[in-house]
Amino acid sequence: MKIIDGGITSPKGFKAAGNYIGIKKKRKDLAIVYSEFPAKAAATFTTNVVKAAPVLWNQQIINEKGNIQAIVVNSGNANACTGEQGMIDAQQMAQTMADCLGLKKEEVLVASTGVIGVPLPMNVICPGIEKTALKLSVSREAAKEAAQAIMTTDTFSKEIAVTFELDGKMITIGGMAKGSGMIHPNMATMLSFITTDINISRELLDKALKESIVDSYNMISVDGDTSTNDMVVALANGAAENVLIDTENEDYEQFKTAFHFVNTYLAQQIVRDGEGAGKFIEVNVKGAKSKCDARTLAKSIITSNLVKTAFFGEDANWGRILCAMGYSGVTFDTSKVTIQFASQSGNITVMKNGTPLMFDEDYAYQILHEKDIKVIALLEEGSEEATAWGCDLSYEYVRINGEYRT
Amino acid sequence: MKIIDGGITSPKGFKAAGNYIGIKKKRKDLAIVYSEFPAKAAATFTTNVVKAAPVLWNQQIINEKGNIQAIVVNSGNANACTGEQGMIDAQQMAQTMADCLGLKKEEVLVASTGVIGVPLPMNVICPGIEKTALKLSVSREAAKEAAQAIMTTDTFSKEIAVTFELDGKMITIGGMAKGSGMIHPNMATMLSFITTDINISRELLDKALKESIVDSYNMISVDGDTSTNDMVVALANGAAENVLIDTENEDYEQFKTAFHFVNTYLAQQIVRDGEGAGKFIEVNVKGAKSKCDARTLAKSIITSNLVKTAFFGEDANWGRILCAMGYSGVTFDTSKVTIQFASQSGNITVMKNGTPLMFDEDYAYQILHEKDIKVIALLEEGSEEATAWGCDLSYEYVRINGEYRT
C-alpha cells in the first residue's frame, strides 16, 4: 500500500467540485462528489436520536440498497431541527443534483453541516448546485476544493489517498473529512466521504465499513458530544476492473487494510484539528479481557475531562487515568495495572502493578511537553488491545464554545 | 420541617471535632463524628472499580451490619492506590479512634480525601486522632470545625440541620459534605456524612438512603469523573426516643422527606462549589416515559461539555441541549420537545414541539446572565420527571485542573 498525494478524485471515475455559493459569508460552502459509474454505497450515521434531515434521507436510500452516483454537501447550515421543511429541502437538494447529472434523486446522498434550527436557503442552494456541477473535474485541485467546502471551523482540510495492487489492477482509495466546527446554535459534526474504484459487492463494502469505524471514527473523542449530523459514506464504483470481491478472500483483506488505514488517518486528522486542541493524545490499552473492554477503557480515558486538562497542564497524572479506567464499567484487577507515558522525548513508567512509582517529574514533564503524547495502560486480564485518540481540554476549547457573545 | 442553624452535632447524642494535625500545610485536616449511643448506619460508596482503602474498610464493616459509633476523616491524603499498606493504615486509623473512645475498631468508619498514591503519614495521624478526640463537643462550633476539616480545595464548608416532630418527639437531622478538591495527583471526591437522632431500623435507614441518593448526589455533575473515595454515610442513634420506625409508615415517610431534603441540599452545595463554577444550573426534565429516562436525560444535559460551555458563554443554545438529550440513550419523539430557560430575570421558550422559536436574544442573555439558571425540557412521552444539578465549564476549571505546574 502506498500513500499518494491525492483525495476523493484519485480513484478512477470520480469527479469532484468545491465552490462558494453564498450560504456562508466568504468561504467555500458546497461540495459535490460524483461517480461516472453507478457505485455501491455503504454508510454509517449518527446514533443520536435527534437526526438531521439529510441523515434521514440518506438512511432511507441506503436501506433501499440501490446504487449511488453523487453526494452533495453544503456547509454553513446543518438542516437539523428543521421539521418537515427540512425533509422537503434535503430531497430537493438531491433532486436538483440528480437533474444536473441525469440521475434519479435516489442515487444522490445529501449532507449538511453548520447552523442548526434554521431552514436551508434553498434559493441559494439550488442555483448553487447547478453552478457547482459545471465545475466537476477529476483534477487534484477539484478534490482539494471539495475538502475545503465541507469545512466549518476546521482549521485545515483533511484528505488522503492510497493505492495498492490487486490481481494486476491498481486500486485507489481516496477520502476527505471534516471535524468539529462551531456555528450558532452549534455542535460538532463529523463528516467523512470515501471514494474507491475497487470492484466489490455492496455487502462486503458495508462489512468493511462497519468493521473499520469501530476502531477508527468511533475511537476518537473531542468533547464526548455526539452530533445530529455525523456520517461516514463510502462509494465503490468498480472502475479499477479487478475481479469482483464478493467473498472474504485475500483481496478483501487487502482492501480492508488499506480502507481502514484511510479511515484511521482521517479520524486522527479530525482529532488533531479538535477545537482548541494543543496536543494529540493516543491511548493504547493492552492486556484486556476482550476487544470491547479494551475499547471501553481507552475511550473512557480519552473522554475524561480530568485526564484532558492534565495533558493541557503537561502533568503526569496517572491517578486520573486509573480513575477513568475505574469508572468505565469494565472490571479489572487494579493491582495489576501498569501505566506509561511516551513521546519523542522518551518514555516513563509511572505506575506498575497498581503501585505508583517514584519518577523524575522533570523528565515526565519533558515527555508531556511534546505535542504528540502516547498513554499505554497495561492490564493482565487477557490479550486484547485497543487504541483511542483524543486531544487536551484547553482554555481555547472553552473560548471557542463558550464565548459566543464577543 | 424546619431548617435550623446547625450541623452534625445538632441531633441529640452526637459530638464532633475538627482539628489541624499536620497532614496539610495549614488548614484543618482531621474530623471526628461521634455518637454517644450505638447508631444504625447506612452508606453508599463509589462505583469506581478503583476503591480507596477506607472505602474497602467501610464496605466490610457496613456489610457486617453492626452498630457504628464514630467516623474519623482526614483530608490532605486520600489513602488511595496505596496497596496493602493502605488497608493496614485505614484499619490502624479505626483502631486508634476506637481506643480513644472505648470502642471496637469495627464500630468506626474511616474516610480520607486528598493526594492519591502516597501512604498516609501514620506518625502524624495516630497522635492527631488522640489529640482531636479530646476536643469532641456537642457545640455548634465543633460541627463547623469538623465540616471545615474535611474540605480540600472547597471554597466554603457545607452544613445543614433540620428538625421535625414525630409522635411528640423532636427529630433532628444534621449533615456535612465536601465536594471537588484538587491535590496532585488528584481527583474530585465527594464525602457526605449525615447524623440523626431518629429511632429507625437499620433496614429502613438503608432504604431511605438508597432511595434518596438516586435523586440527590447521583443527580449532580461537576465534571463527569467518579472518584475512588466517594461515600455518603448516615448514622441514626435513636436518642430522640420516638417509637422505633420499622415499617414504611407515615413516620417513615416524614423522615424520608426531611432526610432527602438534607441530602439534596448538600448535593446542591457541592455543585455550587464545583471547580471553577460560575453558575448553578438546574435541569428539569418533565413528561418522560419513566423516572429512569427522566434522570438519564437530565444527567446527559448537565454532563455535556458543550452545554456547560454554552452556559459559561451565557448563550441560549437549545441545540446543544437537544443534542445531549438525543445521545443519552433514551428514545423520544423529537418533534414533541419543548425547551425553556428561566432565572430570576424571567423565562423564555426557545423550542416548542421540536421546532426552534424566534426569540429576543437580548432577553435570553439577560436570563442567562444570572448566576442561578434553570433549564426545563418537556417531552410528551409520559408523566415522569427528574432534576439534575450542575455548573458551567469555565476557564477557571481548566486552570484548576490543568495548571498544575505554575
Side-chain angles (χ1 to χ4, degrees), chain A residues 125-200:
Chain A
I125 286 180
C126 293
I129 291 173
E130 288 161 10
K131 207 171 57 180
T132 308
L134 301 175
K135 293 185 64 179
L136 279 168
S137 155
V138 298
S139 71
R140 174 76 193 91
E141 196 53 31
K144 271 191 189 154
E145 288 179 350
Q148 287 160 2
I150 63 172
M151 288 164 62
T152 50
T153 54
D154 300 64
T155 65
F156 55 84
S157 62
K158 296 152 190 80
E159 287 185 287
I160 188 176
V162 302
T163 60
F164 61 99
E165 235 187 77
L166 223 57
D167 47 58
K169 308 288 182 183
M170 180 68 80
I171 309 286
T172 307
I173 307 178
M176 66 176 185
K178 74 162 293 285
S180 323
M182 308 304 303
I183 307 150
H184 170 74
N186 38 36
M187 56 190 57
T189 286
M190 184 195 79
L191 299 179
S192 185
F193 304 102
I194 315 295
T195 55
T196 177
D197 47 22
I198 202 167
N199 188 18
I200 189 170

Side-chain angles (χ1 to χ4, degrees), chain B residues 110-147:
Chain B
V110 178
S112 299
T113 177
V115 185
I116 77 164
V118 178
L120 282 180
M122 295 306 288
N123 59 328
V124 170
I125 286 180
C126 292
I129 290 173
E130 287 161 11
K131 207 172 57 179
T132 308
L134 302 174
K135 292 185 65 179
L136 278 168
S137 156
V138 299
S139 71
R140 175 73 192 91
E141 197 53 30
K144 269 188 191 156
E145 288 178 352

Side-chain angles (χ1 to χ4, degrees), chain B residues 190 211-222 260 263-264 267-268 271 280-285 291-303 385-391:
Chain B
M190 183 195 78
E211 285 180 14
S212 179
I213 59 154
V214 290
D215 284 314
S216 55
Y217 306 105
N218 285 358
M219 291 304 281
I220 61 173
S221 174
V222 172
H260 187 58
N263 288 322
T264 305
Q268 289 179 4
V271 169
F280 177 77
I281 322 282
E282 178 174 309
V283 175
N284 188 213
V285 172
K291 193 84 184 162
C292 177
D293 276 8
R295 287 187 190 118
T296 303
L297 286 163
K299 276 297 277 287
S300 186
I301 294 169
I302 207 63
T303 310
E385 64 176 288
T387 305
W389 301 274
C391 51

Side-chain angles (χ1 to χ4, degrees), chain B residues 94-95 98-99 102-108:
Chain B
Q95 185 65 62
D99 292 345
L103 304 172
K104 288 180 289 181
K105 73 173 191 288
E106 289 76 15
E107 292 167 324
V108 180

Side-chain angles (χ1 to χ4, degrees), chain A residues 47-50 81 116-117 182 184-188 223-228 275 304-307 309-310 312-320 322-323 326-327 330-332 334 351 354 356 361-362 365 393-395 397-399 401-405, chain B residues 47-50 81 116-117 182 184-188 223-228 275 304-307 309-310 312-320 322-323 326-327 330-332 334 351 354 356 361-362 365 393-395 397-399 401-405:
Chain A
T47 54
N48 200 311
V49 170
V50 184
C81 303
I116 77 164
M182 308 304 303
H184 170 74
N186 38 36
M187 56 190 57
D223 56 16
D225 282 24
T226 307
S227 156
T228 51
E275 286 171 339
S304 157
N305 277 352
L306 284 175
V307 170
T309 45
F312 177 63
E314 304 184 336
D315 175 13
N317 201 315
W318 53 267
R320 294 185 186 177
L322 188 66
C323 179
Y327 65 68
V330 173
T331 53
F332 58 94
T334 59
M351 162 166 271
E361 294 220 4
D362 287 326
Y365 175 68
L393 173 56
S394 67
Y395 291 125
Y397 176 85
V398 177
R399 192 192 64 74
N401 291 297
E403 284 199 352
Y404 156 63
R405 288 184 82 94
Chain B
T47 53
N48 200 310
V49 170
V50 184
C81 304
I116 77 164
M182 308 303 305
H184 171 75
N186 39 35
M187 55 191 56
D223 55 18
D225 281 24
T226 306
S227 156
T228 52
E275 286 170 340
S304 156
N305 278 352
L306 285 175
V307 170
T309 44
F312 177 63
E314 305 184 333
D315 175 12
N317 200 317
W318 53 265
R320 295 186 186 177
L322 188 65
C323 179
Y327 65 68
V330 172
T331 52
F332 59 93
T334 58
M351 165 166 271
E361 294 219 3
D362 288 325
Y365 174 69
L393 173 57
S394 67
Y395 291 125
Y397 176 85
V398 177
R399 192 192 64 74
N401 291 298
E403 285 198 354
Y404 155 63
R405 290 184 82 95

Side-chain angles (χ1 to χ4, degrees), chain A residues 186-246:
Chain A
N186 38 36
M187 56 190 57
T189 286
M190 184 195 79
L191 299 179
S192 185
F193 304 102
I194 315 295
T195 55
T196 177
D197 47 22
I198 202 167
N199 188 18
I200 189 170
S201 72
R202 208 195 54 76
E203 289 69 27
L204 285 183
L205 180 67
D206 191 56
K207 188 165 198 282
L209 180 66
K210 290 210 167 37
E211 285 179 16
S212 178
I213 58 155
V214 290
D215 285 313
S216 55
Y217 306 105
N218 285 359
M219 290 304 281
I220 61 173
S221 174
V222 172
D223 56 16
D225 282 24
T226 307
S227 156
T228 51
N229 288 52
D230 289 347
M231 68 173 82
V232 180
V233 175
L235 298 185
N237 69 5
E241 298 185 328
N242 58 299
V243 179
L244 175 72
I245 303 174
D246 56 2

